[in-house]
Amino acid sequence: MSLFNVYPLFNITPVKGRDVFVYDTNNQKYLDLYGGHAVISIGHAHPVYTQAIQTQVNALGFYSNSVQNPLQTALATQLTHMANCEDYQLFLCNSGAEANENALKLASFHTDKKKVIAFKNSFHGRTSAAVAATDNPKIIAPINAQQEVIFIDFEDLKAVEKVLQTHEVCAVILETIQGVGGLDEASTSFYEGVRALCTKYHTLLIADEIQSGFGRTGDFFAFQKHGIQPDIISMAKGMGNGFPIGGILIHPAIKASFGLLGTTFGGNHLACVASLAVLKTLEKEQLLEHTLNVSKYLIAQLSKIPQISAIKGRGLMLGIEFPFAIASLRKSLLFNQHIFTGSAKNPNLLRILPPLSLQKEHVDLFIHALQQELKTITS
């Protein structure tokens, strides 16, 4: 084998996808309730999406950021309009980790400070500053540990202020809903308090919407439920429905200058048309409203299952918590019921991150399958 072996792999090889289903080399059909880590937002092989990429690659697939690219302007206009962030400016990159890396770098440039506040159970990426702000020592190499990051519990505003009082913190970075960490979300008063403290101590607030953004919670961004205004918003995953793209939205108080940030592939022509197709589909198919409706139905059905101890998250970013570790349940759902689900840092949590086109009939398939496998476990 020539691949660097860092991924434990299921013995399944998907070769085709359609909407909420994927098919393997044996033409076995799987219900995709994980969307490849929340990446598939509008469904596998959506015709608007595939046609946009085909048309663009036949014209021009790539050129550098040294020339005009009207697709970037179109994406910025449509994105900020749909997200109700019309005063923000867009910088495009290639992934969530890169988005957070640029967000943290920009915060340090803007404030001339270098320390960062992050929160326990956070996950912000695997690049230098982003991984240092991730609460997982196993993936932080010695070279990353030079970053000065202070980890604080959700809801602990006193601890946040105590660190901010040093006047050495460039940014507070938070996931409104923690993804890998286990779908925990703090109270509105906590997010409001963090916003006020960041303003008071001249620190930038970064909202990591990489997993929760682009409609996954039913709001365009998860922080919008809490009525706060971040200084920088990072996004990726569902932004391109599988095409690699990430970005940050930057408050107008933060000024740009030539060379401040840069990227070779970020904002390329194919990435832009992929994201524009996602935005077009979200709007045309009213997927944010649909997400709220199907989520309500899913949560209602899950609430009837006595073995479930808690349901966390919002929209189609849900965690189903059990009083036992779910590793075997996840495997049985995959191999017996042919349903993809996800795990989290919390070993008792089954993560659900399907395409936003999920329908009630798909929910029924999942509920029936889950009940069947739970019967086997409890017996």
Side-chain angles (χ1 to χ4, degrees):
M1 174 180 283
S2 60
L3 294 176
F4 195 50
N5 190 18
V6 294
Y7 298 114
L9 302 176
F10 291 119
N11 189 24
I12 295 171
T13 306
V15 294
K16 182 176 69 173
R18 292 291 182 273
D19 193 24
V20 298
F21 295 101
V22 293
Y23 302 79
D24 69 11
T25 47
N26 299 314
N27 204 35
Q28 175 63 57
K29 183 179 180 181
Y30 297 81
L31 176 61
D32 185 8
L33 297 187
Y34 195 55
H37 305 299
V39 166
I40 303 301
S41 50
I42 60 172
H44 293 280
H46 193 288
V48 172
Y49 172 81
T50 56
Q51 185 59 56
I53 293 176
Q54 289 173 26
T55 300
Q56 184 60 47
V57 78
N58 283 330
L60 178 66
F62 174 82
Y63 206 76
S64 79
N65 284 308
S66 62
V67 298
Q68 298 284 331
N69 182 351
L71 291 169
Q72 292 184 357
T73 304
L75 178 56
T77 301
Q78 185 67 1
L79 170 57
T80 54
H81 170 69
M82 286 187 62
N84 196 26
C85 296
E86 295 190 57
D87 291 335
Y88 284 71
Q89 305 155 91
L90 175 65
F91 175 79
L92 291 165
C93 53
N94 307 287
S95 68
E98 192 178 334
N100 279 335
E101 198 74 27
N102 280 289
L104 291 164
K105 184 177 181 180
L106 188 57
S108 186
F109 272 134
H110 182 74
T111 63
D112 200 30
K113 304 173 187 177
K114 64 177 182 178
K115 292 185 179 181
V116 172
I117 291 176
F119 294 91
K120 293 179 183 178
N121 289 322
S122 62
F123 189 96
H124 297 294
R126 291 177 178 268
T127 53
S128 181
V131 78
T134 291
D135 188 17
N136 185 352
K138 292 181 180 179
I139 63 172
I140 300 175
I143 196 170
N144 307 129
Q146 65 182 310
Q147 312 283 348
E148 297 184 57
V149 180
I150 300 96
F151 290 96
I152 294 173
D153 289 316
F154 256 3
E155 302 283 359
D156 194 345
L157 281 175
K158 289 183 179 179
V160 172
E161 182 160 25
K162 184 177 180 180
V163 177
L164 289 177
Q165 284 173 339
T166 65
H167 298 282
E168 296 176 335
V169 176
C170 69
V172 175
I173 184 168
L174 57 81
E175 301 161 275
T176 313
I177 303 173
Q178 294 185 324
V180 174
L183 282 296
D184 289 316
E185 183 172 11
S187 64
T188 294
S189 61
F190 173 72
Y191 297 116
E192 290 174 339
V194 171
R195 172 66 275 176
L197 288 172
C198 285
T199 301
K200 179 179 178 180
Y201 292 102
H202 307 290
T203 299
L204 297 194
L205 176 59
I206 301 170
D208 179 340
E209 292 280 343
I210 286 161
Q211 189 172 124
S212 55
F214 267 66
R216 180 150 294 281
T217 66
D219 295 311
F220 196 92
F221 291 125
F223 71 80
Q224 290 171 325
K225 173 188 174 183
H226 303 289
I228 62 170
Q229 185 178 59
D231 298 294
I232 303 175
I233 305 159
S234 58
M235 56 202 163
K237 294 196 183 293
M239 188 175 183
N241 198 52
F243 198 97
I245 183 172
I248 52 177
L249 288 174
I250 305 158
H251 191 274
I254 303 169
K255 302 304 178 185
S257 62
F258 291 152
L260 189 68
L261 302 176
T263 172
T264 296
F265 295 104
N268 68 71
H269 296 71
L270 291 177
C272 286
V273 296
S275 194
L276 282 165
V278 169
L279 291 173
K280 180 179 180 180
T281 304
L282 289 175
E283 185 173 44
K284 184 176 180 180
E285 298 184 9
Q286 298 180 310
L287 287 181
L288 273 67
E289 181 181 355
H290 173 75
T291 293
L292 292 173
N293 290 333
V294 76
S295 174
K296 184 177 179 181
Y297 180 73
L298 173 55
I299 291 171
Q301 300 310 305
L302 289 170
S303 299
K304 300 175 184 177
I305 299 176
Q307 296 95 327
I308 294 173
S309 55
I311 303 168
K312 298 181 175 181
R314 284 192 274 134
L316 291 176
M317 183 179 178
L318 296 178
I320 307 168
E321 192 169 31
F322 295 89
F324 53 82
I326 56 85
S328 61
L329 174 61
R330 186 184 175 210
K331 286 182 180 179
S332 65
L333 284 169
L334 180 58
F335 292 107
N336 298 340
Q337 304 292 338
H338 305 117
I339 298 176
F340 279 98
T341 57
S343 59
K345 189 176 180 180
N346 177 350
N348 293 2
L349 194 92
L350 193 71
R351 222 165 14 136
I352 305 297
L353 302 162
L356 305 186
S357 53
L358 188 78
Q359 302 294 325
K360 290 181 180 179
E361 65 198 67
H362 306 134
V363 171
D364 293 338
L365 288 174
F366 170 56
I367 295 298
H368 176 73
L370 181 59
Q371 290 173 323
Q372 289 296 109
E373 295 306 320
L374 287 172
K375 282 181 184 178
T376 301
I377 290 172
T378 53
S379 64

